[in-house]
Amino acid sequence: MHSQDHTLSVFLTDEAATLGMGKTLAPSMRGGLTIFLQGDLGAGKTTLTRGILHALGHQGRVKSPTYTLVEPYVISNLHFHHFDLYRFGDPGEWEDAGFREMFNPDSICLVEWPDKAAGLLPQPDWIIRLEPEADGRRLTLLALTLTGKACLASLTDFPPSPNAA
């Protein structure tokens, strides 16, 4: 972690490490957080989300919202919305879908393919990038807002313990 520039960078060897990183990030998250998740198809975006949701207490299946556009989860009093905007052909589809009200103080909103609604989404608190590297992937987290920086600073299990997955 590089605290001066509010970034975190970690190499993830496999799917288990990606799930473990999700579990590591989850306790630092709170309502009102907007996260942009970037990476190519198959980069591990849904796997990371699965790790986050299971750590927050979700017991069921976590699926990619590629066809539904958003998968909502209610965990205690927290609403978690996992968006996938890959199929948007025009940023205006964001407005037509009526998703804006889901971004509120009681929600964590994680958005895959945020560039598909460029200029219409709220400012992200975090941008998480997943990029191929060697036989695994590199996760880079950028904290952009005061809320995002405070959440990043609150990480207590970093680096992730080897058996976090």
Side-chain angles (χ1 to χ4, degrees), residues 45-74:
K45 298 180 296 290
T46 298
T47 301
L48 182 71
T49 302
R50 186 179 312 116
I52 292 167
L53 283 164
H54 287 168
L56 291 174
H58 178 69
Q59 304 280 323
R61 187 170 171 243
V62 176
K63 58 185 178 173
S64 174
T66 300
Y67 296 101
T68 59
L69 300 178
V70 64
E71 287 291 334
Y73 302 89
V74 178

Side-chain angles (χ1 to χ4, degrees), residues 122-145:
Q123 178 184 9
D125 299 292
W126 286 357
I127 294 176
I128 300 175
R129 291 188 186 117
L130 290 162
E131 300 170 297
E133 181 178 308
D135 289 335
R137 60 185 60 112
R138 168 81 42 196
L139 179 143
T140 305
L141 186 155
L142 306 168
L144 302 173
T145 65

Side-chain angles (χ1 to χ4, degrees), residues 30-44:
R30 60 178 171 227
L33 197 65
T34 297
I35 302 165
F36 287 2
L37 194 52
Q38 301 173 336
D40 290 337
L41 291 170

Side-chain angles (χ1 to χ4, degrees), residues 72-165:
Y73 302 89
V74 178
I75 304 163
S76 190
N77 290 330
L78 181 67
H79 296 267
F80 189 101
H81 303 287
H82 180 200
F83 296 90
D84 186 334
L85 307 183
Y86 181 75
R87 297 199 173 280
F88 276 14
D90 179 298
E93 290 179 60
W94 168 258
E95 293 292 344
D96 296 340
F99 294 144
R100 188 173 302 279
E101 72 255 8
M102 294 179 181
F103 290 76
N104 63 63
D106 297 321
S107 298
I108 294 173
C109 293
L110 190 146
V111 183
E112 296 186 30
W113 303 97
D115 55 301
K116 299 285 188 165
L120 298 174
L121 295 170
Q123 178 184 9
D125 299 292
W126 286 357
I127 294 176
I128 300 175
R129 291 188 186 117
L130 290 162
E131 300 170 297
E133 181 178 308
D135 289 335
R137 60 185 60 112
R138 168 81 42 196
L139 179 143
T140 305
L141 186 155
L142 306 168
L144 302 173
T145 65
L146 289 175
T147 298
K149 292 172 186 176
C151 289
L152 181 59
S154 73
L155 280 178
T156 57
D157 186 23
F158 191 81
S161 54
N163 45 359

